[in-house]
Amino acid sequence: ATFVEIYCDKLRDLLVPASSTGAHSGERMLTPRRGTGTSHADSERLLTPRRSAAAAANDSSSQQGEDGGPSVEIREDRRGNISLEGAQAWTLDSVEAALECVQHGARARATGSTAMNSTSSRSHAVFTLSVETHVTDQRSLRGSTYSAKLHFVDLAGSEDTKRAHTEGGRQKEGIHINLGLHHLNQVMSSLSAQERHGLQSHVNYRNSKLTRLLKDSLGGNSRTLMIACVSPLPADA
């Protein structure tokens, strides 16, 4: 599992271990929950970092982001699979461990006060679960591996600068939030047009980090479910 936020068009790892986050380490300590009947050893096993040999070899020379954590970059392989270079991946053994990751990342996420919301989200956040299933044919004893990726995306709401009374850094955050939503809307519209009219037009995923990160989960045989929070106030129409 990985959990990142896109803040002002920069990727931040929300699950960075305490030793890598400098002044913010106290806020980012991963503490697995221990339920009834769970030993200390079991609770530590719920959240274990998963690092490839190549990633571990590059740790000493990896760049740091502006918040002191490792720099996170989006990478795409020859098959079009998207991955996050520099983000800490965690192996989860239970639903409780997944919820622990979500809660921990949510606490580390960028928030700020505006005239419309005292705890406004200032970023788009993406929690990703990569799932693998191994199936063995009982007759041939040959094994097959099936993999899937689940993105849980929390989009920051579009922001009216005048109504939110934002300026300076807050205004810049709102501009990047709106740009990300705009480019996501463009991608979804292009994909929808392809499905309705059979058009093979170019879909520009590279306009924003949000759409590029979700590229292999928006088209093809992927399924998307959106839950929208809509205000009933006429002033918000």
Side-chain angles (χ1 to χ4, degrees):
T2 60
F3 198 0
V4 298
E5 68 174 351
I6 303 171
Y7 174 78
C8 289
D9 205 39
K10 294 182 176 61
L11 283 165
R12 291 179 172 179
D13 189 350
L14 297 176
L15 300 179
V16 173
S19 60
S20 302
T21 57
H24 301 291
S25 61
E27 299 177 359
R28 296 193 172 187
M29 177 73 72
L30 281 172
T31 53
R33 267 187 310 197
R34 296 175 59 189
T36 303
T38 303
S39 67
H40 178 68
D42 288 338
S43 68
E44 288 184 338
R45 189 169 55 88
L46 295 178
L47 294 174
T48 55
R50 177 171 56 83
R51 300 289 284 164
S52 65
N58 291 330
D59 279 347
S60 59
S61 59
S62 62
Q63 297 180 348
Q64 287 192 334
E66 294 180 359
D67 62 348
S71 176
V72 180
E73 301 292 339
I74 300 172
R75 295 287 182 257
E76 182 176 356
D77 64 19
R78 296 179 180 178
R79 296 183 178 181
N81 298 314
I82 300 296
S83 62
L84 289 171
E85 182 180 282
Q88 180 74 75
W90 295 82
T91 299
L92 308 179
D93 287 352
S94 68
V95 174
E96 289 77 14
L99 292 175
E100 179 73 23
C101 273
V102 171
Q103 293 169 0
H104 167 78
R107 290 192 296 268
R109 191 175 170 186
T111 59
S113 177
T114 71
M116 298 182 65
N117 190 343
S118 60
T119 55
S120 172
S121 298
R122 311 311 295 166
S123 66
H124 302 303
V126 182
F127 178 66
T128 303
L129 287 175
S130 298
V131 183
E132 288 188 353
T133 300
H134 304 278
V135 180
T136 302
D137 186 282
Q138 298 300 323
R139 295 182 179 180
S140 64
L141 298 180
R142 293 181 178 178
S144 300
T145 301
Y146 300 90
S147 61
K149 185 186 294 184
L150 290 84
H151 286 305
F152 298 88
V153 186
D154 184 16
L155 298 173
S158 60
E159 188 168 278
D160 187 324
T161 301
K162 293 182 179 179
R163 294 184 60 201
H165 295 167
T166 55
E167 57 184 15
R170 282 284 178 268
Q171 186 178 46
K172 180 181 177 182
E173 292 168 349
I175 291 172
H176 282 288
I177 288 171
N178 292 343
L179 278 175
L181 295 173
H182 170 71
H183 293 310
L184 178 61
N185 179 64
Q186 285 187 321
V187 167
M188 297 301 291
S189 296
S190 297
L191 292 172
S192 180
Q194 286 185 356
E195 184 175 355
R196 288 198 311 267
H197 308 296
L199 301 176
Q200 295 301 317
S201 59
H202 174 67
V203 180
N204 197 341
Y205 293 97
R206 290 182 172 269
N207 278 339
S208 75
K209 285 186 170 61
L210 177 64
T211 52
R212 192 180 178 200
L213 176 59
L214 300 178
K215 177 181 178 181
D216 60 354
S217 297
L218 289 174
N221 63 350
S222 62
R223 302 289 183 88
T224 303
L225 173 65
M226 176 176 286
I227 301 175
C229 297
V230 182
S231 171
L233 299 177
D236 294 328

